[in-house]
């Protein structure tokens, strides 16, 4: 299922806009991974092949995100103990593009075991762009809490928890009320005037291709080696992801 999730470059833009810390480890970009600090949680964005985001989380980040997700009625804890059962459950949520956020405590420590993340015990799955932004807002809050604690742990005033407020009909919540500028909605006619059917385009990751169809705000491109991809046209135009040749 193509859930039109953000690709890696778009996620990088979101993270940089929020001024979150990073640790540039070897091969991170090739593996579509962003790591928050040297020993921090890491976000895997392999949305070309999967319709999910995966966060391998530290204890503190896991607890904070779970608390926020529970407050927003988004959190679901997977308590199964068998790896194949967990993977089946995750794939079922992924298949329908669920708004839920799945939490597997100690999933990476013994059940799922990603060898690239040996120090990160917990796993969090997300299946929508909105929930990814929810998670990043939680990481912003975690960063702010760490900064206050390191400045003066004795004299610093306790951080008051930010109560989430409804932002949309699907019940997505944000930790902060800063509005995010989104790409304007475009009609199919407006999209075709910019990316006409049949024109040759170039994508930073997929290379050169030809626009096949435009419908319902989406543009389908056939790339080299018969690789066909469908994009949200407004995002492609706003982020300049498709360059006309």
């Amino acid at each position: 299922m193509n859930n039109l999730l953000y690709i890696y470059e778009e996620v990088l833009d979101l993270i940089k806009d929020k001024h979150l810390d990073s640790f540039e480890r070897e091969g991170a970009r090739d593996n579509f991974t962003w790591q928050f600090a040297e020993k921090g949680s890491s976000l895997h964005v392999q949305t070309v092949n999967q319709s999910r985001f995966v966060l391998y989380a530290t204890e503190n980040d896991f607890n904070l995100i779970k608390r926020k997700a529970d407050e927003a009625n988004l959190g679901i804890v997977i308590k199964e103990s068998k790896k194949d059962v967990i993977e089946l459950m995750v794939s079922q949520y992924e298949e329908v593009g669920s708004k839920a956020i799945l939490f597997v405590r100690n999933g990476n420590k013994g059940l799922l075991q990603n060898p690239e993340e040996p120090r990160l015990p917990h796993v969090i799955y997300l299946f929508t762009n909105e929930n990814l932004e929810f998670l990043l807002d939680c990481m912003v809050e975690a960063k702010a809490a760490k900064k206050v604690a390191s400045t003066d742990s004795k004299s610093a005033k306790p951080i008051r928890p930010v109560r989430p407020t409804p932002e949309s009909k699907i019940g997505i919540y944000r930790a902060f009320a800063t509005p995010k500028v989104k790409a304007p909605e475009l009609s199919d006619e407006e999209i075709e005037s910019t990316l006409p059917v049949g024109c040759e385009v170039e994508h930073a990751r997929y290379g050169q291709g030809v626009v096949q169809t435009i419908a319902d705000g989406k543009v389908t491109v056939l790339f080299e080696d018969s690789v066909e991809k469908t994009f949200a046209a407004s995002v492609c135009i706003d982020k300049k992801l498709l360059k006309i040749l």
Side-chain angles (χ1 to χ4, degrees):
M1 173 180 178
N2 186 348
N3 199 26
L4 288 179
L5 298 183
Y6 294 136
I7 61 174
Y8 185 67
E9 290 80 0
E10 293 173 292
V11 174
L12 291 187
D13 287 342
L14 287 172
I15 292 174
K16 291 174 182 177
D17 287 346
K18 296 177 183 296
H19 306 291
L20 287 165
D21 298 329
S22 69
F23 173 68
E24 293 292 339
R25 72 189 195 191
E26 184 178 354
R29 184 173 290 272
D30 292 339
N31 294 318
F32 312 117
T33 301
W34 177 281
Q35 185 163 344
F36 301 91
E38 183 173 358
K39 295 182 180 179
S41 302
S42 70
L43 178 66
H44 291 237
V45 189
Q46 297 177 327
T47 49
V48 173
N49 300 319
Q50 299 176 324
S51 294
R52 66 174 78 161
F53 302 103
V54 184
L55 184 79
Y56 292 89
T58 63
E59 184 75 23
N60 288 339
D61 289 345
F62 182 92
N63 290 335
L64 172 65
I65 296 167
K66 183 179 181 302
R67 176 169 59 82
K68 289 292 184 180
D70 288 345
E71 291 175 353
N73 294 320
L74 296 173
I76 295 178
V77 177
I78 295 182
K79 297 182 179 180
E80 306 297 331
S81 59
K82 295 183 178 180
K83 177 180 177 180
D84 55 348
V85 176
I86 292 176
E87 291 179 342
L88 176 61
M89 293 180 65
V90 171
S91 66
Q92 290 174 340
Y93 282 93
E94 179 183 28
E95 185 176 342
V96 298
S98 173
K99 302 178 182 66
I101 300 177
L102 306 187
F103 296 85
V104 187
R105 181 172 290 279
N106 294 320
N108 190 41
K109 205 168 183 179
L111 300 176
L112 305 178
Q113 195 60 49
N114 186 333
E116 295 180 0
E117 313 293 358
R119 299 178 180 175
L120 301 172
H122 312 302
V123 186
I124 302 175
Y125 293 96
L126 310 96
F127 310 101
T128 68
N129 292 331
E130 291 83 357
N131 280 356
L132 172 67
E133 294 182 45
F134 173 89
L135 180 143
L136 293 179
D137 284 339
C138 291
M139 299 301 291
V140 170
E141 183 173 346
K143 177 183 176 181
K146 291 176 184 177
K147 184 175 181 180
V148 171
S150 63
T151 300
D152 190 346
S153 59
K154 293 184 179 180
S155 61
K157 296 181 179 180
I159 298 178
R160 297 179 60 189
V162 180
R163 294 290 181 183
T165 56
E167 183 176 339
S168 67
K169 292 181 180 179
I170 59 175
I172 301 302
Y173 291 71
R174 289 181 183 274
F176 293 100
T178 304
K180 180 182 181 296
V181 178
K182 295 186 177 180
E185 295 297 330
L186 302 174
S187 66
D188 290 349
E189 291 75 14
E190 291 173 316
I191 295 168
E192 188 160 6
S193 68
T194 304
L195 295 171
V197 173
C199 73
E200 294 186 359
V201 295
E202 184 175 44
H203 188 278
R205 179 181 298 173
Y206 307 121
Q208 295 183 2
V210 177
V211 175
Q212 299 293 300
T213 61
I214 295 172
D216 300 324
K218 302 173 185 176
V219 55
T220 300
V221 180
L222 181 64
F223 292 98
E224 297 172 343
D225 299 327
S226 300
V227 176
E228 187 175 86
K229 295 292 178 181
T230 300
F231 304 92
S234 58
V235 174
C236 289
I237 295 172
D238 183 60
K239 298 289 185 178
K240 297 181 174 59
L241 300 179
L242 295 175
K243 177 182 177 182
I244 296 181
L245 301 178

